[in-house]
């Protein structure tokens, strides 16, 4: 991803994060979503999800593989509820996406 494009999207996302985002969620494109995954808000939400899961896969309890935080829904993107996210090891995450 081009760094300038990423930074532009990050600034846009930081402005929209919070309650305003939920009420006026713009159409999310791939570049904007990638930028969101680099935002400070997502990093905090991701860390909280990992902590709540005890740093293990919530499907198979694996602690020894890279852990991903998967969105169960994108309805509240930018203001995720605890149930919107699930921590999965790469293997389980791949299965959800059919890989």
């Amino acid at each position: 991803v081009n760094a300038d494009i990423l930074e532009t999207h990050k600034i846009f996302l930081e402005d929209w994060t919070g309650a305003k985002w939920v009420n006026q969620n713009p159409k999310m494109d791939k570049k904007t979503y990638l930028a969101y995954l680099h935002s400070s808000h997502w990093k905090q939400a991701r860390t909280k999800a990992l902590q709540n899961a005890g740093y293990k896969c919530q499907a198979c309890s694996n602690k020894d593989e890279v852990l991903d935080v998967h969105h169960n829904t994108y309805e509240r993107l930018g203001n995720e509820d605890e149930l919107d996210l699930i921590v999965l090891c790469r293997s389980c995450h791949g299965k959800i996406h059919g890989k």
Side-chain angles (χ1 to χ4, degrees), residues 6-70:
L6 181 62
E7 193 58 34
T8 300
H9 284 280
K10 270 176 72 173
I11 291 166
F12 167 80
L13 282 161
E14 294 295 344
D15 288 343
W16 280 83
T17 300
K20 188 175 181 183
W21 177 274
V22 176
N23 296 327
Q24 301 176 21
N25 192 347
K27 183 112 173 119
M28 182 64 61
D29 64 20
K30 198 170 192 175
K31 288 178 185 173
T32 305
Y33 182 68
L34 286 173
Y36 174 63
L37 295 180
H38 287 84
S39 72
S40 59
H41 175 80
W42 171 247
K43 289 176 184 177
Q44 290 173 356
R46 183 182 187 284
T47 298
K48 185 177 178 185
L50 288 165
Q51 289 171 341
N52 290 343
Y55 294 92
K56 63 182 178 182
C57 178
Q58 291 178 281
C60 73
S61 299
N62 188 341
K63 289 184 175 183
D64 299 324
E65 201 173 327
V66 173
L67 296 173
D68 296 325
V69 178
H70 172 79

